[in-house]
Amino acid sequence: MKEVLIAENAGFCFGVKRAMNMAQKELEEKKDISVYALGPLIHNKQAVEKYENMGLITIDKIDDVNQNLESEMIIRSHGVPKITYDEAESKSIDIVDTTCPFVKKIHYIVSKGEEENKSIILLGDSNHPEVIGINGWCKDKAIIFKELEEVKDYDFDKTKEYLVVSQTTMNEKNFDNIIEYLETLGLKLSVKNTICSATRVRQQAARELSQKVDVMVVIGGKHSSNTQKLVKICSEIVDTISIETKEDMKDVDFSGYNKIGVTAGASTPDWIIEEAIEFLKTC
Ligand code: F3S
């Protein structure tokens, strides 16, 4: 039998667990009203399907809420721009806000920074819903960078005051490199490291385990940014296989590996991790 080692802090983080529990409570207690989720509840297809089977209706935009029926709309843990709250209020749509408190804190920081006339630098992926949400709290004025190269190409204005925040799931090393560079430019700069500790601890545990095993299996959604970051971190150290569920491992040849490490992204439910571990033990 293979030796399977599980990284500490694999799977649901505090914010996702909280959001999923809140959504479950709504679905269980409000059976006679329509419960919508604005965007997939988490970046995990299997978990979203499970909740949809309980009655959750996933929508892309507020206009998809059927206002003729009694309903409420869940805002997911990634958070949304301020305009979404305003729109819901103007349409009298009740909101169940599962935005992670750590993301809420960034909304507050950038909104205050913008009020104080600071230019907001937001480090992260401009297409990620969390980043889109944060940007919406500083009137969509944030300067968004993902990589150091983009920062190097940007023409900064030394008369301005800059406030830097980051997406909660940003790679710490990338963040440090960018800050180090920005600090050489002689700008008026204040920096808030808003990387979530859950991400930091999970990434560190994955890094450490990668050094002790023959192969790493990273479980999580293909669209989950924090999962894909774990894949990158592990693959820099050891052979790494990225899967969504145990089904994805059916054609993988594990014969050359004795010690298998497992980690999982913040939106991977426990039951999917357990199924994968059981499969790995017998492969
Ligand atoms: Fe929140 Fe951190 Fe998770 S920001 S959603 S606890 S990764």
Side-chain angles (χ1 to χ4, degrees):
M1 199 192 273
K2 305 276 183 198
E3 190 180 354
V4 181
L5 303 170
I6 301 128
E8 280 176 43
N9 307 91
F12 276 3
C13 59
F14 148 80
V16 170
K17 214 177 275 177
R18 174 179 171 274
M20 297 305 273
N21 288 343
M22 285 171 77
Q24 182 160 348
K25 192 164 169 270
E26 293 305 309
L27 291 164
E28 282 169 359
E29 289 178 2
K30 313 256 175 79
K31 288 201 178 350
D32 42 355
I33 73 166
S34 304
V35 181
Y36 293 90
L38 185 57
L41 204 50
I42 55 173
H43 280 147
N44 185 281
K45 210 169 62 197
Q46 295 73 24
V48 169
E49 272 167 19
K50 185 180 166 190
Y51 278 66
E52 286 178 345
N53 289 337
M54 290 165 72
L56 185 70
I57 307 160
T58 304
I59 52 172
D60 293 330
K61 49 188 189 314
I62 293 193
D63 288 343
D64 294 338
V65 172
N66 183 344
Q67 288 180 265
N68 298 322
L69 301 172
E70 203 187 334
S71 57
E72 63 182 22
M73 187 180 75
I74 297 174
I75 287 178
R76 56 195 176 163
S77 59
H78 293 131
V80 291
K82 185 178 178 303
I83 197 172
T84 305
Y85 292 88
D86 299 342
E87 226 179 310
E89 197 183 343
S90 73
K91 291 182 191 299
S92 307
I93 296 168
D94 286 340
I95 274 181
V96 179
D97 191 354
T98 78
T99 307
C100 176
F102 298 134
V103 177
K104 270 264 174 240
K105 190 175 156 200
I106 309 176
H107 293 172
Y108 172 75
I109 294 171
V110 298
S111 134
K112 192 161 172 280
E114 201 278 326
E115 266 169 39
E116 290 167 357
N117 236 351
K118 291 178 182 160
S119 295
I120 312 294
I121 297 177
L122 172 51
L123 305 181
D125 177 353
S126 58
N127 295 316
H128 193 281
E130 181 192 319
V131 171
I132 295 168
I134 295 169
N135 195 16
W137 284 87
C138 52
K139 302 186 179 155
D140 289 328
K141 286 185 190 165
I143 310 159
I144 305 173
F145 300 119
K146 192 175 177 188
E147 304 293 344
L148 177 60
E149 299 317 310
E150 298 163 25
V151 185
K152 286 184 175 170
D153 284 342
Y154 191 81
D155 193 12
F156 289 95
D157 178 347
K158 287 197 176 164
T159 63
K160 284 189 177 165
E161 217 178 311
Y162 291 94
L163 168 66
V164 189
V165 294
S166 75
Q167 187 176 345
T168 55
T169 50
M170 189 174 190
N171 178 298
E172 193 105 22
K173 216 162 110 197
N174 197 10
F175 178 85
D176 290 344
N177 288 342
I178 292 177
I179 299 303
E180 211 172 285
Y181 173 77
L182 284 171
E183 281 171 347
T184 64
L185 299 180
L187 303 169
K188 277 178 242 150
L189 196 68
S190 45
V191 179
K192 304 269 181 207
N193 181 341
T194 50
I195 297 176
C196 169
S197 61
T199 305
R200 192 178 308 152
V201 172
R202 186 183 303 101
Q203 288 179 352
Q204 188 51 28
R207 201 172 281 121
E208 281 168 18
L209 187 57
S210 299
Q211 283 153 2
K212 297 180 190 152
V213 295
D214 305 321
V215 64
M216 280 296 288
V217 173
V218 181
I219 315 167
K222 296 274 182 250
H223 301 292
S224 153
S225 115
N226 77 88
T227 302
Q228 293 317 312
K229 270 169 203 149
L230 286 174
V231 173
K232 188 166 182 281
I233 288 168
C234 298
S235 61
E236 282 168 4
I237 302 169
V238 72
D239 286 350
T240 299
I241 297 160
S242 166
I243 62 159
E244 282 197 355
T245 66
K246 67 170 185 179
E247 309 301 322
D248 298 337
M249 293 189 284
K250 285 202 169 133
D251 297 325
V252 180
D253 179 10
F254 285 97
S255 58
Y257 306 118
N258 289 320
K259 258 191 191 177
I260 305 173
V262 173
T263 189
S267 43
T268 310
D270 288 351
W271 89 83
I272 290 181
I273 302 174
E274 278 152 25
E275 280 178 7
I277 291 168
E278 283 317 306
F279 175 89
L280 283 168
K281 281 183 182 163
T282 58
C283 69

